[in-house]
Amino acid sequence: MSVQLLLLASLPALGWGLMPIVAKLMGGKSEEQLLGTTIAALIFGSVFGFLNQVSYALVPFSISLLSGVFWACGQYFQFLALEKAEVSKVMPVSVGTQLLFVTLASGFFLKEWTDLTTVIFSIMALGVILTGVFLVTKTTHQQTGLTPQVLLYLCCSSAFLMLYVTVTGLFQISGAQIFMPQAVGMFLGGSVISLKSKQQLHFRKIIRNLGTGSTWVIANTSLFAVSSSLGVGVTYSFSQMSLLVATYGSIILLKEQKVGREKQFVALGSLLYMVGVLGMSWLK
């Protein structure tokens, strides 16, 4: 693997890992963050479709649009969780539950579990991943962990993001046909969600969150570009390292504190998470 390809393969993890950090830095309500992100996605999707002269059929277009709506719902709940808790606590649970839901949905509905051995090793890998997530978010001081409300937000987020990921696979839609209609669905979903708070939204904060959307665009584009060269398994492994970027990035950039043995828990949890993800990608 060349250095250039290795750097490109790291961009999805970097983009998705930095996205919640950038959202915190840009500020604003969840609706403002969501609109800023979806506007950036819509601009990219439109330019991509125009430059590549992509042709669209009704069913793939509709399913990809629905996928984008699911993403908007899932991302909104994640932004709500980030309003109420630290990135280093929210993102490990968010990514871990996404992996759990997507793996189970892929196994049962997309028929990726072809034999008993795959089922057993997938469940083992999930167990290692979730143990890593538990350690990364473990607290040892007076400050409490995630509240039931935040956990509910994250479960709703991961359920919608699971639908976002799997619905196109269920209808075997892939490649360039997805980008533009998916971005339209993201924008439409974000706009409908934001209607209830439209009187309280600030245009300047929405524009600031175009930066949040840019990290998503970088991640999504590079994932598409590198998967054709490295294959889905390797690309998947690299992209799921977004948890490490979000966790350590929030500690460094947002000054989120880890005290005492929490630093050791984060290091051990990160290692277990990496082992579990690499095992999961090997099965794929």
Side-chain angles (χ1 to χ4, degrees), residues 35-263:
L35 280 177
T37 302
T38 57
I39 289 171
L42 182 62
I43 292 171
F44 164 75
S46 301
V47 171
F48 179 90
F50 175 76
L51 293 178
N52 290 276
Q53 296 294 300
V54 182
S55 58
Y56 301 99
L58 179 60
V59 172
F61 186 96
S62 301
I63 297 301
S64 298
L65 187 145
L66 180 62
S67 168
V69 172
F70 286 145
W71 180 92
C73 296
Q75 192 59 50
Y76 175 63
F77 279 110
Q78 188 183 95
F79 282 146
L80 283 175
L82 287 167
E83 278 188 359
K84 298 182 178 297
E86 296 178 338
V87 172
S88 59
K89 292 180 180 178
V90 167
M91 291 312 296
V93 176
S94 179
V95 175
T97 51
Q98 285 177 53
L99 276 170
L100 173 64
F101 291 174
V102 169
T103 300
L104 293 177
S106 299
F108 285 115
F109 298 112
L110 300 184
K111 309 300 182 183
E112 290 187 3
W113 287 351
T114 55
D115 52 57
L116 183 60
T117 301
T118 303
V119 174
I120 292 173
F121 278 99
S122 293
I123 293 173
M124 289 174 61
L126 274 176
V128 173
I129 288 169
L130 295 178
T131 301
V133 168
F134 171 78
L135 289 173
V136 168
T137 57
K138 185 174 176 60
T139 58
T140 59
H141 53 293
Q142 294 299 318
Q143 185 177 353
T144 58
L146 298 177
T147 65
Q149 183 186 36
V150 171
L151 290 173
L152 178 61
Y153 285 157
L154 291 176
C155 286
C156 291
S157 171
S158 294
F160 279 114
L161 292 175
M162 176 269 293
L163 292 171
Y164 150 74
V165 170
T166 56
V167 69
T168 52
L170 188 64
F171 286 84
Q172 298 181 333
I173 306 166
S174 61
Q177 279 195 322
I178 293 179
F179 281 124
M180 195 275 283
Q182 195 173 72
V184 172
M186 291 167 63
F187 177 72
L188 290 176
S191 298
V192 171
I193 289 170
S194 302
L195 281 176
K196 63 182 177 63
S197 304
K198 63 179 180 179
Q199 302 298 330
Q200 303 171 358
L201 300 181
H202 296 87
F203 180 74
R204 182 178 297 178
K205 292 181 179 179
I206 293 173
I207 295 302
R208 281 170 60 89
N209 276 285
L210 289 175
T212 306
S214 297
T215 59
W216 182 88
V217 168
I218 290 170
N220 208 47
T221 308
S222 55
L223 185 73
F224 174 75
V226 80
S227 61
S228 60
S229 299
L230 294 181
V232 175
V234 176
T235 308
Y236 174 86
S237 301
F238 276 96
S239 69
Q240 297 308 309
M241 298 308 167
S242 60
L243 179 143
L244 305 183
V245 176
T247 300
Y248 288 98
S250 62
I251 293 171
I252 296 169
L253 298 175
L254 300 178
K255 309 301 181 184
E256 295 182 359
Q257 297 296 316
K258 296 293 180 182
V259 299
R261 295 187 65 191
E262 289 179 355
K263 298 176 182 179

